[in-house]
Amino acid sequence: EPRFDDLPDHTAELGNYRLGSGRWMKTELTYFMATFTNDLDVGTQRSIIAEAFAAWSAVIPLNFQEVSSASSADFVLGFGTGSHCELYSASGTQCNSDGAFDGPSGVLAHCYYPGIADPVGGDCHFDDAELFASGVGTSREVSLLSVAIHELGHGLGLDHSPEDRSAIMFPSYDPSNVKIQLGADDIA
Ligand code: ZN
């Protein structure tokens, strides 16, 4: 039975989150969707990505708006397979083998930490070898909303929360426990 004076301080209580690197030095941020998956219609993908951004903007003083070109976007988002060089070239940079996707399962997506001077800073790429679904999806599908909220966390500068399974920043995706909203640790 915890007593109030036994409670750990705020940092220790909610301290599973970890910072990655970088932060955005402005509050009005933009994103561009460079490519889409064939798994869902484009309108659905747009609304899922908007919902993922909204999950974060509800708890931090940042706003996100979709724009119509990569050159004016802080976050370039898209789907690709293998080396997915087209998504790197959308940001004016080159692909390399370190960033290549691995086919079905394994890595589902990746997102780069913020970087104003870094052409891929904030960019989130989704492995189109996965079968993406709206909502939580079935056990054979991957919830685009869940993965997008997680990846955007990286794009905002968060690392994983390896000790908190209820955090959306927990490092692995569990089809039997799909999270589509932020946990207390993510919000902290
Ligand atoms: Zn991650």
Side-chain angles (χ1 to χ4, degrees):
E1 193 67 41
R3 305 194 330 252
F4 281 111
D5 58 354
D6 287 336
L7 287 175
D9 68 30
H10 184 81
T11 305
E13 184 184 13
L14 295 169
N16 293 316
Y17 70 88
R18 296 182 185 183
L19 298 180
S21 73
R23 62 185 297 190
W24 294 102
M25 303 303 284
K26 53 187 176 179
T27 59
E28 302 302 312
L29 296 161
T30 56
Y31 68 94
F32 172 65
M33 297 188 67
T35 59
F36 294 89
T37 178
N38 290 324
D39 302 341
L40 293 162
D41 69 70
V42 168
T44 300
Q45 294 172 62
R46 280 216 156 85
S47 67
I48 289 171
I49 295 300
E51 190 176 348
F53 275 112
W56 288 108
S57 63
V59 297
I60 55 176
L62 299 179
N63 297 306
F64 306 99
Q65 187 178 3
E66 187 175 4
V67 293
S68 58
S69 79
S71 59
S72 59
D74 299 303
F75 298 77
V76 173
L77 282 65
F79 297 81
T81 57
S83 300
H84 59 289
C85 297
E86 68 282 8
L87 291 177
Y88 289 91
S89 48
S91 280
T93 189
Q94 292 186 334
C95 54
N96 63 66
S97 54
D98 291 345
F101 284 137
D102 56 357
S105 77
V107 174
L108 308 179
H110 58 207
C111 194
Y112 292 87
Y113 289 133
I116 302 289
D118 178 358
V120 295
D123 290 5
C124 299
H125 304 158
F126 299 86
D127 186 352
D128 209 6
E130 317 305 338
L131 181 58
F132 287 102
S134 59
V136 296
T138 67
S139 60
R140 295 170 152 211
E141 298 169 322
V142 173
S143 165
L144 178 58
L145 178 59
S146 182
V147 174
I149 297 173
H150 176 103
E151 295 307 328
L152 291 176
H154 292 314
L156 292 167
L158 284 175
D159 197 351
H160 288 138
S161 293
E163 286 107 29
D164 189 342
R165 297 198 79 89
S166 66
I168 208 145
M169 295 314 293
F170 188 75
S172 61
Y173 179 89
D174 179 357
S176 66
N177 178 29
V178 176
K179 291 157 278 187
I180 54 171
Q181 54 190 6
L182 300 179
D185 183 68
D186 304 304
I187 296 169

